[in-house]
Amino acid sequence: MPTISVYIIAYNEVEKVRSAIESVSWADEIILVDSYSTDGTSELATQLGAKVVQVDFKGFGDLRNQALAACTHDWIFSLDADERCTPEVAREIQDLVARGELDAYHTPRRNFFMGRWIKHSGWYPNYRQPQLFRRGAMSYDFKPVHEGYVLHSPKPIGHMQSAIWQFPFKNMAEVMHKANRYSTLGAEKIKHKKISMWTALIHAKWAFWKHYLFKLGFLDGWAGLVIAVGNFEGTFYRYVKALEIQKGEAWRSPTKPSLPEHDQS
C-alpha cells in the first residue's frame, strides 16, 4: 500500500489544530508547517504526534512549497487548520492511492458558517488547489495569496466524491481579521495595474453581486448576505491598498503639522 503524508499549514490556530490533526490520524506522516505561532499551536501539534516545521512566512505559495519539501511519503494530502478530513474522505483517499490511476485530485469542501452549511455563495464544492496528489506531481506558484498550482503530470486531474469540512471563521472578528490580512497580501498581486478609487468600487460591487446573485448567495439567508458583503469589503480594500502602494509618499502623513495650501489664509 502506498504511504501518505498529510501537511497542515497553521499560524496561531491552537483552537482549531487539534481537530485537524486528529481527523488525519490515519496518515503515515503528519507535518504541521507553522510560521512561529505564539499561542501554543506548535507545542500542541507536537504533543499530538505531528512533526512541526517552522517556516518564515513569505506568502502562501512559498509556504506550501516548503510544506511539500518536508513531506517524505508516496502521496501528499493537503489540509488547512480550519479543515477536517471526514472518515468518508479518508476511505476514498486510501482507495484512490491504492489504485493509483491518476496523480492528482481536487477535493470538495463543505463550509460551515453562522450556524449552517453554506450550499451556495460559491462555497460548495469550493475546490482550491488539488489536495491529494502523488509526491512530485504538483507544486505551487509563488503568489502571496490565492496561490495557484503547477501540475507536473500528463494525466488529468480527478475529482473526489466525498467532501472535507471547513470552518473558516470562528466569529465575525476573524472574518474581519482575515479580510484585512488577505486584502494586504492581495494588493501586492495587483499593484502593477492601473487603479483608481472608481476601479476599487466597481470591482467591489461586482464581487458582491457575483456571490449574492449569480452564485445564489441569497439562498443562504443572512449568512449569504454577510459573505457577499465580506467579499465587497475585501475586494474594495485590496484595490485601495494597491492604490496606496502606488501613491507612496502622496498618501502619507506630513512630517510636521501644517494646513493644506488651499486652506491657508
Side-chain angles (χ1 to χ4, degrees):
M1 171 70 96
T3 54
I4 303 171
S5 295
V6 174
Y7 82 75
I8 301 170
I9 60 173
Y11 175 70
N12 285 345
E13 296 282 13
V14 72
E15 295 181 13
K16 298 179 180 179
V17 75
R18 176 186 290 275
S19 295
I21 291 174
E22 290 178 345
S23 76
V24 290
S25 60
W26 47 267
D28 299 288
E29 176 182 57
I30 302 173
I31 296 176
L32 181 88
V33 182
D34 187 37
S35 295
Y36 301 96
S37 292
T38 58
D39 67 346
T41 294
S42 59
E43 290 82 358
L44 177 58
T46 300
Q47 293 173 17
L48 294 171
K51 175 184 176 182
V52 175
V53 177
Q54 296 291 353
V55 175
D56 290 321
F57 185 79
K58 300 176 182 177
F60 285 102
D62 176 75
L63 188 66
R64 291 190 184 279
N65 281 317
Q66 298 270 14
L68 297 188
C71 294
T72 63
H73 289 287
D74 304 317
W75 284 77
I76 297 173
F77 184 59
S78 163
L79 195 76
D80 289 352
D82 60 2
E83 296 172 345
R84 308 289 178 264
C85 180
T86 65
E88 293 78 15
V89 169
R91 287 193 291 268
E92 186 174 354
I93 288 173
Q94 291 164 336
D95 178 60
L96 289 173
V97 302
R99 289 187 292 168
E101 296 172 353
L102 300 177
D103 292 331
Y105 296 86
H106 282 294
T107 307
R109 300 186 294 175
R110 288 192 176 276
N111 284 270
F112 190 83
F113 179 58
M114 289 178 63
R116 63 185 295 168
W117 294 113
I118 305 301
K119 299 178 181 179
H120 308 94
S121 301
W123 278 27
Y124 183 79
N126 194 22
Y127 299 117
R128 57 177 174 87
Q129 315 93 349
Q131 290 185 244
L132 174 67
F133 48 93
R134 197 185 302 271
R135 186 158 67 100
M138 197 191 86
S139 61
Y140 301 93
D141 63 30
F142 287 90
K143 293 178 181 176
V145 67
H146 298 142
E147 61 285 357
Y149 63 91
V150 180
L151 189 66
H152 306 297
S153 169
K155 297 180 180 179
I157 298 175
H159 288 76
M160 295 178 59
Q161 299 301 308
S162 304
I164 61 174
W165 291 0
Q166 185 178 31
F167 304 90
F169 309 111
K170 63 183 180 182
N171 52 36
M172 289 306 301
E174 190 171 34
V175 172
M176 293 182 284
H177 171 74
K178 286 191 174 183
N180 183 47
R181 185 186 184 201
Y182 280 42
S183 63
T184 298
L185 293 170
E188 292 292 329
K189 293 172 59 176
I190 62 171
K191 64 183 181 181
H192 63 283
K193 295 183 177 181
K194 185 177 180 181
I195 298 172
S196 68
M197 290 299 295
W198 282 110
T199 304
L201 183 60
I202 290 169
H203 280 274
K205 289 176 67 176
W206 166 244
F208 176 89
W209 290 115
K210 179 176 69 174
H211 287 85
Y212 195 66
L213 183 60
F214 297 108
K215 293 190 175 183
L216 306 180
F218 63 90
L219 295 178
D220 290 317
W222 288 112
L225 180 63
V226 171
I227 291 168
V229 170
N231 277 277
F232 174 94
E233 285 193 297
T235 302
F236 182 75
Y237 288 120
R238 180 168 74 249
Y239 277 85
V240 173
K241 288 177 181 180
L243 182 59
E244 181 181 44
I245 294 171
Q246 293 177 357
K247 294 293 185 180
E249 291 290 340
W251 273 30
R252 293 178 185 165
S253 301
T255 55
K256 59 181 180 180
S258 63
L259 290 173
E261 289 185 6
H262 63 275
D263 286 341
Q264 294 178 358
S265 57

